[in-house]
Structure formats: structure tokens, C-alpha cells
Amino acid sequence: MQRARSDSPLLCDLPIRPDFSLEMTARREGHWPVAGTDEAGRGPLAGPVVAAAVILDPDNIPDGLDDSKRLDAKARELVLAEIFARAVSVSFASVCAGSIDAGDIRKASLEAMRRAVSGLYTAPLMVLADGRDVPPGLSCAGRAVVKGDQRSQSIAAASIVAKVMRDRMMSRAGSCDGRYGFELHMGYATVRHREAVTAHGPVARMHRMSFAPFKA
């Protein structure tokens, strides 16, 4: 697996909001189109890890792009609509809890990114991936970008798509089984979630049995 050298930026080097400079650098170097990819759901006790890939139109970049963690749910939904309306191509993919348990969350996250990139209608010539690793198996060049969702608008767009889509999946799971409150905590280890697991046990194919406290 390709491991990128660290390009971790200093806090003072991070832009106030992500911009399009990494994409334009890749374009000048002959790598175009450029896709950004990011994931949501590495830390929860339940549910899939979801990744998205987005190719933005440099002449029609959506307003409000930012790291999904710095936007509230309403803002994410509004920006998501703009991404779908303006982007050249958008794709998302997931890896289920069982597959996470069969390997590990890092591998599952990278595999979800690879699937998302492969699902793009327009094939990119460069992929900017949030984090320290380039997803293995890409059909094009890739670059790992530390804190990419705060530096690249393409990665920020992917982070929003991944987060909203995963939240929708977890909300649907909550409507199917109301004992756990998945629609409220999205599978994270909140007090309510842990109390529900203690009372009812884990849900097959939903909870990540390789995570504590299930692993113990």
C-alpha cells in the first residue's frame, strides 16, 4: 500500500476555508480532472463507513464548502444540494460493519474511498484523498492530503456527501429499530447507545464486533 510522506500543515498554514489551489496545481501538471475523496464513520460502534468522491467544476464551485465537521446538519444538507447541482461528477460507497470486522477500520475506509472513486461517471486523472494514505487500487495518480477537508474544496465536498449519506443510512436504521436511537447518535458511543447495547445486546450486521466493548 502506498504510504505518503507527511505533509501535515501547521495550524497557521491552514486556510480559513478550503480552496481550489491543490486542484489547480494538479491541473497545471497535466492531471485533470481531479477528484477529492473523504470518508465518514471511522469511529462509531455501529453502521458502515461511507466514502464519497467529487469532481468539481472550477467555473461553478458550490458556495459554503467546508469540512463537514464544521457545518451543522442543516448547512450540510443545503451545501449537498449545491454539490449535486454543480459538480461534474459525484459518487459515494460504503463498507459494512461485517467487512470492517473482517479487516480493520483503516482498510475499510480506504476501500470505501476506492469504490467511491471508481463509481464516478467521469474518470479522474488525479485523486486527492483526505488523510495520510492513498487508497490502494486507484486507476490514476493519487495524493494523500493531511487535513484535506480543511484545505481542498474537492475533499471538503466529498466529506459533506459522505457525512450526509451516512447520517441518512443511520436515520433509516433508527426508523427500523427504535431501541437504539441510531437516528440521534449515528452509531457513536453515546450514553444512550451504550445503555441500549447493555439492555438489548448488539445488532447483527449493524454493530462492529471488532470494536470495544464488543471485542472484549
Side-chain angles (χ1 to χ4, degrees):
M1 181 183 299
Q2 184 178 353
R3 183 82 176 188
R5 63 180 179 81
S6 176
D7 68 343
S8 187
L10 298 174
L11 182 61
C12 58
D13 292 335
L14 288 173
I16 296 174
R17 278 194 169 186
D19 58 33
F20 210 64
S21 59
L22 294 175
E23 291 86 343
M24 294 309 295
T25 296
R27 185 175 189 174
R28 288 192 296 270
E29 294 172 351
H31 300 293
W32 193 260
V34 174
T37 186
D38 197 3
E39 51 74 28
R42 283 180 69 111
L45 302 181
V49 60
V50 176
V54 178
I55 298 175
L56 294 176
D57 178 352
D59 298 318
N60 195 17
I61 294 176
D63 297 326
L65 291 176
D66 203 348
D67 175 0
S68 64
K69 297 183 290 297
R70 302 200 295 203
L71 302 173
D72 62 25
K74 182 178 180 180
R76 287 193 295 265
E77 289 282 355
L78 291 173
V79 179
L80 179 78
E82 290 294 303
I83 293 169
F84 284 152
R86 301 192 194 188
V88 173
S89 187
V90 180
S91 172
F92 66 94
S94 65
V95 172
C96 68
S99 295
I100 294 170
D101 290 337
D104 60 52
I105 187 59
R106 174 176 164 273
K107 291 178 181 177
S109 297
L110 293 171
E111 171 60 13
M113 289 184 186
R114 185 200 66 79
R115 293 179 186 179
V117 171
S118 69
L120 289 167
Y121 181 78
T122 301
L125 292 184
M126 167 65 74
V127 171
L128 303 175
D130 183 60
R132 297 185 178 276
D133 298 297
V134 175
L138 295 178
S139 60
C140 64
R143 176 184 173 185
V145 184
V146 175
K147 296 188 182 296
D149 46 12
Q150 298 180 36
R151 300 169 64 188
S152 159
Q153 288 179 319
S154 298
I155 297 176
S159 79
I160 292 166
V161 174
K163 172 62 174 169
V164 174
M165 292 305 171
R166 186 179 188 280
D167 284 357
R168 290 180 180 180
M169 292 178 186
M170 297 306 294
S171 294
R172 177 61 177 167
S175 69
C176 293
D177 189 337
R179 297 175 299 170
Y180 295 85
F182 290 128
E183 72 282 4
L184 301 175
H185 51 67
M186 307 304 168
Y188 284 89
T190 63
V191 171
R192 173 169 180 174
H193 190 186
R194 288 185 280 111
E195 288 177 346
V197 169
T198 299
H200 307 294
V203 179
R205 299 190 301 277
M206 187 67 180
H207 281 101
R208 302 174 182 180
M209 303 308 295
S210 58
F211 281 38
F214 310 119
K215 186 175 182 180

